[in-house]
Amino acid sequence: MTNLIEYAAASDEVRAVYDDIRTTRQTEYINNFWKALANHPPTLRRTWETLKEVMGGEGDIDPLTRELIYIAVSVTNGCEYCIASHTAAARAKGLTEKVRGELLAIVATANSTNRLANGYQVPIDEQFR
Amino acid sequence: MTNLIEYAAASDEVRAVYDDIRTTRQTEYINNFWKALANHPPTLRRTWETLKEVMGGEGDIDPLTRELIYIAVSVTNGCEYCIASHTAAARAKGLTEKVRGELLAIVATANSTNRLANGYQVPIDEQFR
Amino acid sequence: MTNLIEYAAASDEVRAVYDDIRTTRQTEYINNFWKALANHPPTLRRTWETLKEVMGGEGDIDPLTRELIYIAVSVTNGCEYCIASHTAAARAKGLTEKVRGELLAIVATANSTNRLANGYQVPIDEQFR
Amino acid sequence: MTNLIEYAAASDEVRAVYDDIRTTRQTEYINNFWKALANHPPTLRRTWETLKEVMGGEGDIDPLTRELIYIAVSVTNGCEYCIASHTAAARAKGLTEKVRGELLAIVATANSTNRLANGYQVPIDEQFR
Amino acid sequence: MTNLIEYAAASDEVRAVYDDIRTTRQTEYINNFWKALANHPPTLRRTWETLKEVMGGEGDIDPLTRELIYIAVSVTNGCEYCIASHTAAARAKGLTEKVRGELLAIVATANSTNRLANGYQVPIDEQFR
Amino acid sequence: MTNLIEYAAASDEVRAVYDDIRTTRQTEYINNFWKALANHPPTLRRTWETLKEVMGGEGDIDPLTRELIYIAVSVTNGCEYCIASHTAAARAKGLTEKVRGELLAIVATANSTNRLANGYQVPIDEQFR
């Protein structure tokens, strides 16, 4: 239902983003996510710029930890594509099977305690405000 | 609607958990979450044991990063109590305002790209499988 | 931000629903949810008719179990109003503190295992299809 | 796991709904969603009646905009079937690739800012109450 | 992307859990969920212990009702694996097509009213607090 | 827990964004959302630029419809702040009580049918692919 736009068929505006993805990531491969977003060039541009800055720019959180946070969100939302692509990205940045297990254990636990807090309608402690 | 069970009114089973929380966390303070869970002692015991192991036990992910992952889930789920209590916990473990900002930027970005992947029904790239 | 429409100020269309709620529930009290929905009478009517049939009509699932299922959804979605009002409704139908604890333990566990299944991208077993 | 009930095998109660769907939509095609719901005829009837009224009845919101709102919800929930079927429905009502891109950009942005509001625990401004 | 760990290739720690699953469920079959969790033995052990206790242990909620609650959560979260596996489990415990229909009708209704309560920002009635 | 940064206390970087918000929206009022985001200036800047472009820039979707889509997402996510602030924004752009009712009816219906599609594991029709 969604046309994936290849480099050869892309407009100059789209190609400029594809070129920047290639340069930044040092790979020829453009993954399907970007080829889908290319159907609406302003969304492609904005999303890439934000992702490049947030996931790859200067910051106190190291690159692997950023991926762990990203995966935690994607697992909670059940976004299959995002889990698959960012688990691959995290592995390229050093994710071991053990750390993956620890990550998912934290995500599972938080999803569980979130509901206990909701279900028991726990009032926020004064000192946490 | 939920009775918060204080130490003085707690059964021996509940007190044993409260004592372990105090010892483990080295504080007299028992927060409302545990006082609410005490209404069902098996849930109190299981939840504490899991949380203690997952958030505080041996592992390759450091304590502050565990809190960042926990907050990422809680923010995505919109659990007010959990955001408030774990932001406080993270601050006690060294969370700065800058790192908090970076964390929330990643969480916001992932929630955004999760929906773009959904909306465009992006097929998973062969190499991510 | 939302005007709560009282019986005295309601149109005949809205009053007819309020009257049916009162007769069906055998109470004079109309709760805020319905007073808010009365701002759009077709939504008030449709929602009441569906709820009356689904939660109160003929069926193989008993009334208290229906409330447990309803609460499980509301806790997962984090809908404060719905958790509060249906926990009260369930209590009126016999919900004990022990059953509430068991319910929330199941809800917490399911929210946890849902994410482990997502995170590990577990393929569905042939026999479950 | 779910039996899809074809017209030939359907009860009179189910056929009456199928007939109404065909008449209303002016097509012979009954999509899988309705064939699945036919396993529980009261749910089939109620869901069709509500959908017919809400998506196709009198109202100030035009038909294409209703589909945009429907897709926004389905994308946020990650419901694959709903995204696929309503994107097709929207195209039949005039959805262009450009509008689809704008829609998904709004959905992505809202999902992002929703989490920033949660994460920073922003208090509601007096004037928005 | 996730290695499924078979009994023959499993460590003693993992085999002990597999053995307990087999004994408790009185079947040789270990489903994929556990084979995926075996990649992180502590998560396998904790998850099995919790699930065994919450879904199979002593309690006032009968086994089929526990599955209905579990399915309600999984449907709300859109977890495909969990819906498929627990619908199968519920069938083995007596779930009929009629009860499944009633369950999904309640889940659908609650998801609908949860959003009406959110959207109209309905204030909680004093008596529900 | 979150410091709201007023204009007087803001850095030049933050003031530049505040000034642009004031000019673009033609109001002196800076709402709490932006004052919270100002704790992490890069997030403030990026979020404002995206929102300005997506909600206020050139496009085929009219301003009120953009707000309806935004509210649909926020209601589905249960983000109180976002529902309150964007319902106010939509009113300023012409949202009537009737259209609000129609919007919430569509949101409620979609949330309901999303779960029926999930629960019945409905396979996607060939023609929707």
Side-chain angles (χ1 to χ4, degrees), chain A residues 2 29 70 81 113 120 125, chain B residues 2 29 70 81 111 113 120 125:
Chain A
T2 295
Y29 191 68
Y70 196 104
Y81 184 88
T113 50
Y120 274 117
D125 304 63
Chain B
T2 296
Y29 191 70
Y70 196 105
Y81 185 86
N111 271 289
T113 51
Y120 274 116
D125 305 63

Side-chain angles (χ1 to χ4, degrees), chain B residues 41-89:
Chain B
T43 297
L44 173 68
R45 180 182 43 74
R46 269 194 314 264
T47 307
W48 167 245
E49 278 172 11
T50 298
L51 210 79
K52 183 179 162 181
E53 200 172 317
V54 171
M55 297 302 284
E58 177 280 331
D60 289 357
I61 305 181
D62 68 86
L64 177 55
T65 300
R66 296 185 200 192
E67 292 294 346
L68 299 186
I69 295 165
Y70 196 105
I71 292 169
V73 170
S74 304
V75 166
T76 298
N77 284 329
C79 178
E80 265 188 272
Y81 185 86
C82 314
I83 296 167
S85 61
H86 283 268
T87 300

Side-chain angles (χ1 to χ4, degrees), chain C residues 94-108:
Chain C
L95 179 71
T96 61
E97 199 58 43
K98 180 159 183 285
V99 168
R100 189 192 189 198
E102 293 178 22
L103 166 65
L104 296 180
I106 298 167
V107 170

